[in-house]
Amino acid sequence: MNRHLLREIARQLGESGGAGLVAVLMVLVATVLAGTLLAVRAWIVAELLSSDREATITVTVESPGTATALRGELTSRFPGIAATVMAPAAVRAELASWFPHIAGALSAVSSDSYPTLLVVHVARADEESLTAWLSQRPGVQLAVGSRFWREPLQRVLAGALAGGLALTITLLTGCGIVVLLVVRLMVLGHADEIEIMRLIGARERDIRVPYLVSGATLAGLGSGIGALMLLILSRVPAFGLPLFPLPMETLLVLAATGPLVGLAGALLGLAALPREP
Amino acid sequence: MIIIENLSKSYGGRPALKGVSAQVEQGEFVFLTGPSGAGKSTLLRLLYRAELPDEGRIVVGGTDVGSLRRSEIAFFRRRLGVVFQDFKLLRRRTVVENVTFVLALLNVPERDQRKRAYQVLRQMGLQHRMTAFPDELSGGEQQRVAVARALVLQPDVMLADEPTGNLDPERSHELMELFKTINYQGTTVVFATHDRSLIEAHPARTLTLDRGRLARDGWGGAA
């Protein structure tokens, strides 16, 4: 890379000003958004929706005695199944451990107000039939399988991903348009200089490459910073985010998206540059 | 050597050049003259391939200019030195950066760039203004920077399009002397001017254009 090229790129990045900053921010937001969605999706799929994961059926019963009897009936009928009885006090303690900031309020409520639960762990394939069987047992108030929340979660996740993808594409397209306009304005502003450069022997690539590199750099800065932020957020335990570490390949793809978008915008912007006859 | 054969060019149906033919030998100094609108600048623009002729053929140093591919134009222009009436200097670059611009594109080592720039600027008497910007120079100085820039690649042919047009008579004659020196060193010079006093003071072969036609090919400024 020669000095002319570096100098032109530096100058063009400086000239891009506020519009260039907007392009950087748009790609930055798009990258972080896309990375976060991918990380959250990976976490939900691995932790909650994995087909290897066994299903849980939560059964609300009238009393601890009923729960113990039901567990006996269950384990004798289906020997491989594990089931746990949770007395109202245990339910209250479990809830308090989930929501420590309201543990005091939960403890203040009498244990009589909490239900007795029988939690049954079962293979996914048996979940539906076993839920139906349990719900017909005497003393059972409610039997709900994890499918009850898994299917809506899948729908919500699919919707969130589609929405996030649409927003990401919109932001990237917006960045491409901003880069296009920035490059077009610069090309028009530099028209005299470009003509002189041509007349004294500059090749088309000597003239065009700095604009392409500038466009790719603007968007690449955004995606690079975004990918770095994702790397830090997902790898540094101090942040404690429930994100699965994004694979390095994903981070690299996210980082590479910006330069490609910037390059495309700059290429379109350069269409304003007249060619030699 | 420059060969011009039956050259025609028109703009929007209005002819700028009509059937112009001429030949300039290697190392020759040729004035190109004629009134405004006679076609001098058009002919030069065709010579340095800023435009294509409607008809005819131009050969410069063995290169058929009309058949150059776009990717070859820059390399062709590097073999020419072109000087313009309005100097066409890069305003945001210093004198030395203007002169070394093409050398930088050619990846000539920076030390060699500065050495060559110093040599040509010294020849122009501008070695003390190397770090100045064009707007800090007088018209005459700017034109000498343009000449230095044209000379830095040691071209076989120099094309000058009214280079004295923005200079006072004294500076014009100084510049003319510079071109003559360049010519003495073996460079072919085509010097477009409508200044008859310049031609009379520095007699040389003169091609006179009139309304796009070659009206005269002779010595000196005689009508």
Side-chain angles (χ1 to χ4, degrees):
Chain A
M1 193 178 280
N2 62 40
R3 208 157 54 98
H4 157 73
L5 191 60
L6 290 173
R7 187 195 163 107
E8 280 299 309
I9 293 164
R11 183 183 128 201
Q12 288 170 15
L13 289 176
E15 282 183 12
S16 67
L21 193 61
V22 169
V24 172
L25 289 175
M26 286 174 102
V27 184
L28 173 64
V29 172
T31 306
V32 172
L33 177 66
T36 306
L37 279 170
L38 289 173
V40 171
R41 179 185 173 277
W43 182 81
I44 289 175
V45 167
E47 290 291 306
L48 304 176
L49 300 176
S50 169
S51 57
D52 298 338
R53 197 179 156 85
E54 63 183 9
T56 304
I57 303 168
T58 306
V59 186
T60 310
V61 290
E62 284 173 351
S63 65
T66 312
T68 307
L70 183 58
R71 184 179 62 180
E73 188 183 354
L74 186 71
T75 50
S76 63
R77 191 173 176 128
F78 306 100
I81 286 177
T84 312
V85 174
M86 290 182 76
V91 172
R92 183 174 61 184
E94 180 79 5
L95 284 173
S97 72
W98 288 0
F99 307 105
H101 51 290
I102 56 166
L106 290 170
S107 302
V109 178
S110 161
S111 64
D112 295 342
S113 302
Y114 293 91
T116 300
L117 299 179
L118 178 67
V119 180
V120 183
H121 299 286
V122 62
R124 278 267 167 94
D126 302 327
E127 180 189 355
E128 196 173 350
S129 58
L130 198 61
T131 305
W133 182 82
L134 282 165
S135 61
Q136 287 164 6
R137 296 296 93 199
V140 170
Q141 294 168 332
L142 186 67
V144 178
S146 49
R147 192 175 169 184
F148 175 77
W149 54 262
R150 208 168 51 237
E151 286 175 356
L153 179 62
Q154 279 172 325
R155 281 197 299 275
V156 168
L157 185 62
L161 282 173
L165 184 66
L167 187 56
T168 302
I169 290 172
T170 306
L171 284 167
L172 290 175
T173 306
C175 167
I177 292 169
V178 171
V179 170
L180 182 158
L181 294 174
V182 166
V183 168
R184 181 161 289 200
L185 285 174
M186 284 198 292
V187 164
L188 294 174
H190 300 162
D192 289 347
E193 205 163 309
I194 289 169
E195 188 205 348
I196 295 170
M197 288 178 182
R198 277 179 173 157
L199 290 176
I200 60 178
R203 293 166 299 180
E204 280 305 298
R205 81 165 123 141
D206 296 323
I207 292 165
R208 288 170 187 266
V209 166
Y211 292 99
L212 296 177
V213 176
S214 298
T217 305
L218 281 176
L221 266 175
S223 63
I225 296 169
L228 189 66
M229 284 170 66
L230 287 168
L231 181 74
I232 293 169
L233 286 173
S234 63
R235 300 283 162 99
V236 177
F239 290 100
L241 292 178
L243 301 182
F244 258 48
L246 280 167
M248 194 49 82
E249 300 82 48
T250 307
L251 286 171
L252 289 175
V253 167
L254 288 171
T257 306
L260 291 176
V261 168
L263 196 62
L267 266 173
L268 292 171
L270 277 176
L273 183 63
R275 286 193 171 272
E276 292 269 10
Chain B
M1 181 196 272
I2 300 171
I3 300 166
I4 299 163
E5 286 178 358
N6 198 28
L7 209 58
S8 295
K9 176 75 182 174
S10 60
Y11 297 103
R14 194 183 68 79
L17 286 177
K18 288 180 282 189
V20 174
S21 294
Q23 192 163 316
V24 178
E25 299 300 327
Q26 177 64 40
E28 203 174 357
F29 189 107
V30 175
F31 279 116
L32 185 62
T33 190
S36 295
K40 304 185 292 295
S41 293
T42 302
L43 180 54
L44 288 179
R45 287 179 65 76
L46 292 169
L47 282 172
Y48 57 77
R49 185 47 172 83
E51 297 191 40
L52 284 167
D54 298 335
E55 278 177 47
R57 180 166 167 260
I58 302 171
V59 178
V60 178
T63 301
D64 185 339
V65 178
S67 65
L68 283 172
R69 290 199 299 267
R70 276 192 184 136
S71 59
E72 296 170 330
I73 296 172
F75 298 97
F76 167 70
R77 286 186 185 145
R78 289 174 192 174
R79 289 165 47 204
L80 305 177
V82 188
V83 181
F84 306 90
Q85 180 176 357
D86 58 355
F87 322 132
K88 292 203 186 298
L89 295 177
L90 299 166
R91 301 274 143 210
R92 295 183 222 221
R93 292 173 189 255
T94 62
V95 166
V96 70
E97 286 167 346
N98 265 279
V99 173
T100 59
F101 179 80
V102 182
L103 298 176
L105 295 182
L106 291 170
N107 283 322
V108 172
E110 203 161 323
R111 197 173 149 195
D112 293 346
Q113 287 181 33
R114 293 192 78 84
K115 192 175 162 190
R116 281 161 77 169
Y118 180 80
Q119 284 168 349
V120 287
L121 285 168
R122 193 170 153 207
Q123 196 179 344
M124 299 298 126
L126 285 171
Q127 70 275 19
H128 59 293
R129 306 303 311 266
M130 286 174 75
T131 55
F133 284 90
D135 291 340
E136 297 165 13
L137 304 176
S138 69
E141 286 175 324
Q142 288 189 51
Q143 195 56 289
R144 280 185 283 151
V145 173
V147 175
R149 182 180 65 186
L151 278 178
V152 78
L153 283 179
Q154 298 169 314
D156 298 328
V157 178
M158 284 276 281
L159 304 175
D161 188 2
E162 301 268 8
T164 59
N166 284 329
L167 305 181
D168 60 44
E170 194 181 340
R171 298 284 93 75
S172 296
H173 284 282
E174 279 176 15
L175 190 71
M176 194 59 223
E177 289 300 330
L178 268 174
F179 273 97
K180 283 174 73 176
T181 307
I182 293 162
N183 177 241
Y184 291 147
Q185 289 165 351
T187 305
T188 307
V189 177
V190 178
F191 191 107
T193 181
H194 63 266
D195 184 349
R196 298 197 70 77
S197 68
L198 210 58
I199 300 171
E200 282 159 10
H202 305 273
R205 182 184 167 198
T206 304
L207 303 175
T208 307
L209 290 171
D210 187 20
R211 282 169 285 183
R213 290 188 186 280
L214 182 61
R216 179 176 172 272
D217 180 356
W219 190 264

